Amino acid sequence: MTPATDIAYPHLFAPLDLGFTRLRNRVLMGSMHTGLEDHARDFPKLAAYFAERAEGGAALLVTGGFAPNVVGWLAPFGSKLSWPWEVRRHRQVTAAVHGHAAKICMQLLHAGRYGYHPLQVAPSKLKAPINPFTPRALSARGVERHIADYARAARLAREAGYDGVEVMGSEGYLINEFIAPRTNQRTDAWGGDAARRMRFAVEIVRRIRETCGPDFIIIYRLSLLDLVEDGSNWQEIVQQAKAIEAAGATIINSGIGWHEARVPTIATSVPRAAFAGVTAKLKPHVGLPLIATNRINMPEVAEAILAAGGADMVSLARPLLADPQWPNKARAGKADAINTCIACNQACLDHVFQNKRASCLVNPRAAHETELVYRPTSAPKRIAVVGAGPAGLACATVAAERGHRVTLFDAAGEIGGQFNVAKRIPGKEEFHETLRYFRHKLVETGVELRLGTVAGTETLTGFDEVVVATGIVPRTVDFPGANHPMVVSYLDVLLGRVRAADKVAVIGAGGIGFDVGEFLVHEGESPSLDPARWMAEWGVDPDFEARGSLARPRPEHPARHVWLLQRSPGKPGARLGKTTGWIHRATLKAKGVKMLGGVEYLGVDDAGLRIRVDGSEQLLDVGTVVVCAGQEPRRELADALRAAGRSVHVIGGADVAAELDAKRAIDQGSRLAAEL
Ligand code: FAD
Ligand code: NAP
Ligand code: SF4
């Protein structure tokens, strides 16, 4: 690679010559399903979504997955490209991207046994543990027909103006199911030893190359880490990469972990670039450009991987949802201006798994580009925003960006509200980045910041609009002994005002209860900052050699004995994030935390916390009881303003505290500011 010399991150912005075409830099926008792919009527929105990312400077974009036939659907009537009349809608997307001098590949994704419908097929009749449907095993003729379907879909993609396709060969979808012994028990020419299991993948690439010609990009997403039992071993992965190269692929992208894997691969607690080492390990074995992926969210992380020669490109998927201008900002040396993906999954993956359109917690415009527009105002106003938590920060910066004169008040000495508490949880270090982004954005948009100022009705005279974003107060409990000195609030513990005893009961198992559990069982540096410790805890083979790259998990000794309690019956944590709840539950379980539902709190005294579960009384001999019993809106200011006859806008926790999270707070603040 010849690094560019005149810009920040020179390796990241060196062009990549693919022989028949050239990429302007090393940023690939990784494939993400947004939900806009599924209906022809949404393609104008999809085109606007990609246009913003192309304009933002990414070199090569990859669409969400399109199935090559009906049985390959992810869900009934999901995205697919198999008929000539489906081509036209895609031209809006490809034209939009080419208008900004970027290139775009369509991802070909056959869901295999992950298809959420009864038509699904797989190499063998083996049900996935995460899907209620059992697949039909493909016949040998069916396999041949599938290869032809992939080639036809690639040809149609070329007709639609795509620069290439990405063949999804990882994450446990159909092709990966052929490759791994876990899911391929065939005894015909498509099963058996590694060479026969990978033949399906190789034939697909070979046939696409034959059909689409030499000047068509074929990215092959190769599962470098299956992270499931009976996945591929390293020798087979290298053999597969060489065969895929020989079959005519242009680039190999890294695939990390099947969807059914019990090792987190993209959550916020996964260390940055945790898996880049496995891409680097493959580098000496193939001549094709390789793409590193997963938890690469800031330019210095990407640059370090490329500068060390561990990959030729980096894949940014969620980071470009969070900030379409990521590449342009990095190129200009303005990393501080990047709205960083905090890997929460709350508005992207969680939405997709709930069949809702994806968006982004820190950027509610993501996949809503034509609907949520921050137009410059023609009538600038003086606006006061009270509360610099996520809701107030979003509202103030969007309003100021539109041209209003905004003053932002906070009683605290720093911006951030509850994010200053959340950032202290081990595994939530990324929350610092959101605060850094907003600090920068306040200056950039010219918001007048008044910290250390408790705003009252008299402070707020002379403004055209007043926005109250004063957040919440923690809910208190009222069982006997609730005022015992050992009973404290989560704020006391997380802000370091109280040091918890060796045995602790946590009352309330919502998001904050689980976070407090994580805080209590860890001591010292967070494992999320140390990939080696993190891999040992989760059982990833540090040498990436073993089958599935799995090793025996070695959780570190918990710092405390913790009980996590809730009154409602059932398993605590059932309401946590769709794609991350299991990670929180597994972490605490590995640390020996006892999680109990259906608990009645009888009282606290010097001996500890008395509870009743399943009709029997127990004494938990704890020295600290941490109350995480939810939150109530902080509305004194809004009420006082209204009593004084003033009109106010109330957002975030001050509006509705129940089930409030930062996604709703930022979304509500941004949407209000777009209309002021
Ligand atoms: P807040 O963040 O509460 O901010 C309100 C601000 O108003 C405060 O800074 C306060 O000082 C200020 N204020 C109040 N009254 C006045 C006044 N009169 N004058 C001036 N200033 C005033 N959410 C997620 O989505 N994902 C997570 O993973 C997540 N993790 C969390 C972990 C923890 C430990 C905690 C505590 C919260 C977490 N949350 C998470 C919740 C999220 O932080 C809140 O939903 C969000 O901060 C609410 O935003 P807000 O702006 O409404 O209020
Ligand atoms: P929460 O999710 O509403 O949970 C509150 C818990 O307290 C529940 O377990 C509830 O269960 C219990 N509770 C309620 N009233 C009680 C009472 N009077 N006495 C005893 N227990 C009581 O609230 P939270 O945990 O405080 O979280 C606040 C918000 O922050 C949430 O909306 C959450 O989405 C957000 N957050 C999100 C994340 C994330 O990772 N996405 C992390 C942290 C916080 P029972 O009634 O069954 O006891
Ligand atoms: Fe990243 Fe969270 Fe936004 Fe998804 S919702 S892109 S994980 S910040």
Side-chain angles (χ1 to χ4, degrees):
M1 177 189 306
T2 318
T5 49
D6 56 336
I7 43 171
Y9 315 111
H11 294 83
L12 189 53
F13 291 99
L16 178 63
D17 190 355
L18 297 176
F20 57 90
T21 190
R22 203 171 112 108
L23 304 180
R24 61 183 170 188
N25 60 47
R26 306 302 176 109
V27 177
L28 173 108
M29 175 174 166
S31 172
M32 279 174 293
H33 198 76
T34 61
L36 293 172
E37 301 80 1
D38 298 339
H39 304 285
R41 62 170 185 268
D42 287 331
F43 271 59
K45 291 177 188 160
L46 192 63
Y49 160 80
F50 278 117
E52 282 208 7
R53 272 93 198 150
E55 196 273 318
L60 178 59
L61 294 80
V62 183
T63 67
F66 286 84
N69 54 29
V70 165
V71 295
W73 274 336
L74 267 170
F77 308 102
S79 48
K80 165 182 83 65
L81 180 56
S82 60
W83 298 108
W85 59 82
E86 290 167 335
V87 165
R88 203 162 68 105
R89 66 185 76 152
H90 287 265
R91 293 208 175 103
Q92 305 164 67
V93 171
T94 53
V97 169
H98 292 153
H100 294 287
K103 299 189 190 304
I104 181 161
C105 290
M106 191 191 81
Q107 191 186 67
L108 282 170
L109 183 155
H110 188 304
R113 70 177 194 160
Y114 285 163
Y116 205 78
H117 53 83
L119 304 177
Q120 50 156 274
V121 294
S124 303
K125 190 177 172 181
L126 295 168
K127 194 181 95 60
I130 55 171
N131 195 338
F133 298 100
T134 302
R136 179 172 59 81
L138 277 172
S139 65
R141 273 190 57 206
V143 174
E144 296 282 3
R145 263 199 312 271
H146 265 68
I147 295 167
D149 289 350
Y150 271 95
R152 178 187 57 198
R155 176 175 55 75
L156 295 174
R158 183 167 188 143
E159 280 172 34
Y162 287 105
D163 302 280
V165 289
E166 176 174 82
V167 178
M168 175 43 124
S170 67
E171 261 76 356
Y173 292 116
L174 182 72
I175 294 177
N176 211 174
E177 289 160 21
F178 268 89
I179 288 162
R182 175 184 182 81
T183 36
N184 186 343
Q185 296 179 350
R186 302 177 73 98
T187 51
D188 63 2
W190 307 98
D193 64 14
R196 289 151 82 110
R197 294 198 309 272
M198 72 182 61
R199 215 180 124 212
F200 182 58
V202 171
E203 281 304 304
I204 287 169
V205 172
R206 199 182 58 72
R207 200 79 69 83
I208 292 176
R209 176 59 70 216
E210 202 176 273
T211 308
C212 296
D215 57 346
F216 191 63
I217 300 171
I218 303 177
I219 308 170
Y220 181 78
R221 184 96 171 264
L222 195 151
S223 186
L224 298 186
L225 296 177
D226 287 336
L227 300 176
V228 289
E229 281 165 21
D230 287 329
S232 300
N233 64 25
W234 183 247
Q235 200 190 338
E236 292 167 350
I237 287 164
V238 173
Q239 187 183 350
Q240 189 194 155
K242 288 181 170 172
I244 290 295
E245 178 169 17
T250 321
I251 302 174
I252 290 180
N253 193 0
S254 307
I256 311 289
W258 290 32
H259 287 305
E260 68 204 61
R262 293 290 91 184
V263 177
T265 53
I266 58 169
T268 190
S269 53
V270 175
R272 287 179 172 187
F275 304 111
V278 72
T279 308
K281 188 174 161 95
L282 184 63
K283 217 55 206 113
H285 299 285
V286 285
L288 295 184
L290 295 187
I291 305 176
T293 182
N294 287 42
R295 291 288 286 117
I296 302 169
N297 64 347
M298 286 300 279
E300 68 271 17
V301 183
E303 178 70 11
I305 294 168
L306 297 170
D312 303 280
M313 289 187 84
V314 287
S315 170
L316 309 177
R318 296 172 302 166
L320 295 189
L321 271 188
D323 195 339
Q325 289 292 325
W326 192 109
N328 285 345
K329 288 177 182 176
R331 191 182 169 91
K334 293 183 179 164
D336 259 11
I338 289 176
N339 193 4
T340 306
C341 164
I342 58 172
C344 63
N345 284 357
Q346 286 176 240
C348 51
L349 220 56
D350 282 355
H351 277 205
V352 172
F353 276 77
Q354 293 164 295
N355 244 334
K356 286 172 21 190
R357 194 191 316 172
S359 188
C360 172
L361 178 141
V362 298
N363 172 22
R365 290 196 65 247
H368 294 73
E369 287 74 14
T370 57
E371 295 139 294
L372 180 55
V373 184
Y374 304 151
R375 288 193 182 83
T377 179
S378 53
K381 296 180 190 168
R382 287 203 62 205
I383 298 177
V385 179
V386 184
L393 286 166
C395 185
T397 51
V398 171
E401 187 176 313
R402 294 188 51 225
H404 294 301
R405 285 172 57 203
V406 181
T407 307
L408 175 61
F409 299 90
D410 203 292
E414 57 183 343
I415 64 159
Q418 291 175 67
F419 262 36
N420 287 310
V421 187
K423 73 186 184 190
R424 294 165 185 258
I425 305 296
K428 286 201 166 168
E429 292 76 17
E430 294 291 357
F431 283 56
H432 284 278
E433 296 289 2
T434 306
L435 298 173
R436 182 264 309 143
Y437 163 75
F438 273 120
R439 276 194 292 273
H440 183 278
K441 192 79 182 167
L442 288 171
V443 175
E444 187 187 73
T445 54
V447 171
E448 183 190 346
L449 182 60
R450 304 259 286 271
L451 291 175
T453 308
V454 179
T457 45
E458 63 296 342
T459 329
L460 300 171
T461 50
F463 290 96
D464 302 314
E465 306 274 2
V466 175
V467 180
V468 174
T470 46
I472 54 86
V473 282
R475 184 178 291 136
T476 50
V477 288
D478 59 1
F479 48 72
N483 55 0
H484 190 283
M486 80 162 78
V487 181
V488 298
S489 146
Y490 64 87
L491 289 177
D492 295 324
V493 172
L494 298 178
L495 294 175
R497 299 195 287 243
V498 167
R499 186 175 161 75
D502 290 342
K503 292 185 181 177
V504 186
V506 177
I507 293 204
I512 292 182
F514 269 83
D515 275 356
V516 166
E518 297 254 6
F519 182 86
L520 292 170
V521 294
H522 285 101
E523 200 110 76
E525 197 183 60
S526 162
S528 299
L529 299 175
D530 181 345
R533 268 175 69 205
W534 183 88
M535 284 195 196
E537 289 224 306
W538 282 98
V540 180
D541 173 14
D543 300 320
F544 308 124
E545 290 278 347
R547 204 163 266 294
S549 250
L550 292 180
R552 196 172 55 80
R554 285 183 285 120
E556 292 171 6
H557 193 67
R560 291 182 179 80
H561 293 287
V562 177
W563 284 262
L564 181 57
L565 312 170
Q566 71 177 27
R567 298 172 305 178
S568 6
K571 219 169 47 173
R575 290 201 313 270
L576 296 176
K578 189 98 182 143
T579 62
T580 50
W582 68 272
I583 302 171
H584 295 297
R585 287 190 294 272
T587 314
L588 294 195
K589 193 170 162 211
K591 299 281 185 192
V593 173
K594 294 186 188 66
M595 292 175 248
L596 300 178
V599 174
E600 189 185 340
Y601 305 116
L602 303 176
V604 174
D605 54 37
D606 290 348
L609 171 67
R610 290 175 202 280
I611 58 172
R612 187 182 291 125
V613 190
D614 292 335
S616 66
E617 287 188 20
Q618 291 181 31
L619 169 69
L620 307 182
D621 59 340
V622 295
T624 307
V625 175
V626 188
V627 178
C628 307
Q631 306 172 329
E632 305 284 356
R634 176 180 282 172
R635 289 221 192 97
E636 313 89 79
L637 178 62
D639 291 345
L641 286 163
R642 280 179 179 142
R646 308 271 301 276
S647 105
V648 289
H649 307 273
V650 185
I651 58 173
D655 179 25
V656 180
E659 294 180 15
L660 172 79
D661 58 12
K663 179 178 77 173
R664 205 176 81 206
I666 291 177
D667 186 77
Q668 198 182 9
S670 306
R671 282 177 195 276
L672 171 65
E675 284 164 16
L676 284 175

